[in-house]
Amino acid sequence: MDFETLQTQQRLLVRQRVRMMVNQYEVHTEGPGGSEGEMVAFAQQKRMAFKEQVTLYTDTSKKFVFGGFKARRRIDLAATYDVTDHNGEPIGNFRKDFKRSLLSSTWHLEQPNLGVTTGTERSQAVAILRRVWDFIPYVEILPFAWPYHFDFSAGDQVVFSVEKKFGIRDRYVIDIKDQRLDRRLVIAQAVALDALQHR
């Protein structure tokens, strides 16, 4: 899918693929009835990497790079991640707000000429439940299946949201309300919400 067509998309679907040593994510347009339409990106993240880096490809063949994101520093709880296009040119960045994330995960996403948008979990109750879940004996080994939502806002205006659907396998719906947002940057942030959630 070319960039101009991608920029017209208002809803994207993200699905995690379960693999042994890597996390993989498929990003699709939305088809009829909420089904998966055309694939626009395929992401792969190595687990337990010292310097976090995720490459996004145009499809599962991994022949063509769509973009990617990479941490500026090794193992940093408040690291900034630079997002690049297929040529390695910067298109924006995002970072986790470590202090605010102690109670409710918070991210800051920046796009040149558009400023900073801040994403927080919509439900404080679910945010607390997710944290408690990790400390319950024997339960912490199970995936957290309950839905959670992130709203990214500029001031009091929500510009896009990411909603995790109920289920064992991680599936997300991205709703984009601000047409100026670079969809590649939004996709990178959405993948990071899952891939980097426990960082």
Side-chain angles (χ1 to χ4, degrees), residues 130-177:
R130 284 199 310 107
R131 283 149 181 78
V132 171
W133 184 269
D134 290 335
F135 293 101
I136 301 174
Y138 307 110
V139 172
E140 84 279 0
I141 61 172
L142 299 173
F144 186 81
W146 284 271
Y148 58 90
H149 315 88
F150 281 85
D151 291 320
F152 282 78
S153 304
D156 59 356
Q157 189 74 32
V158 175
V159 295
F160 77 97
S161 60
V162 180
E163 178 180 335
K164 182 180 186 287
K165 305 307 269 183
F166 185 83
I168 299 300
R169 296 179 64 187
D170 290 340
R171 296 182 305 116
Y172 301 88
V173 175
I174 307 170
D175 279 310
I176 304 165
K177 297 176 173 57

Side-chain angles (χ1 to χ4, degrees), residues 9-196:
Q9 303 301 311
Q10 294 181 293
R11 177 171 283 190
L12 297 167
L13 310 176
V14 181
R15 176 167 49 91
Q16 184 182 29
R17 292 172 56 169
V18 179
R19 296 293 182 267
M20 282 293 292
M21 291 306 294
V22 294
N23 289 328
Q24 295 179 335
Y25 303 88
E26 292 182 4
V27 184
H28 295 261
T29 59
E30 184 181 48
S35 63
E36 292 181 354
E38 182 180 349
M39 181 182 289
V40 297
F42 173 74
Q44 183 166 297
Q45 172 211 31
K46 291 182 179 178
R47 292 181 187 155
M48 298 180 290
F50 285 109
K51 189 170 185 179
E52 203 64 65
Q53 179 174 354
V54 174
T55 302
L56 294 105
Y57 302 94
T58 55
D59 57 40
T60 56
S61 71
K62 300 190 284 186
K63 288 182 179 177
F64 303 103
V65 173
F66 174 87
F69 58 88
K70 183 177 181 179
R72 291 182 183 173
R73 290 184 283 179
R74 292 175 182 237
I75 308 177
D76 182 354
L77 294 175
T80 295
Y81 296 84
D82 292 308
V83 183
T84 54
D85 67 11
H86 63 286
N87 290 318
E89 295 297 319
I91 57 175
N93 64 73
F94 58 81
R95 65 180 173 83
K96 192 169 188 178
D97 189 323
F98 180 68
K99 288 182 181 177
R100 289 177 64 181
S101 293
L102 292 175
L103 292 177
S104 179
S105 294
T106 303
W107 295 81
H108 302 292
L109 179 141
E110 185 171 3
Q111 179 177 320
N113 303 317
L114 195 57
V116 177
T117 64
T118 299
T120 57
E121 291 183 78
R122 190 180 301 163
S123 170
Q124 185 70 54
V126 173
I128 292 170
L129 178 60
R130 284 199 310 107
R131 283 149 181 78
V132 171
W133 184 269
D134 290 335
F135 293 101
I136 301 174
Y138 307 110
V139 172
E140 84 279 0
I141 61 172
L142 299 173
F144 186 81
W146 284 271
Y148 58 90
H149 315 88
F150 281 85
D151 291 320
F152 282 78
S153 304
D156 59 356
Q157 189 74 32
V158 175
V159 295
F160 77 97
S161 60
V162 180
E163 178 180 335
K164 182 180 186 287
K165 305 307 269 183
F166 185 83
I168 299 300
R169 296 179 64 187
D170 290 340
R171 296 182 305 116
Y172 301 88
V173 175
I174 307 170
D175 279 310
I176 304 165
K177 297 176 173 57
D178 190 329
Q179 294 307 307
R180 300 171 298 169
L181 282 169
D182 190 317
R183 302 307 192 262
R184 300 166 299 179
L185 189 58
V186 172
I187 288 170
Q189 176 68 83
V191 169
L193 289 177
D194 185 278
L196 307 177

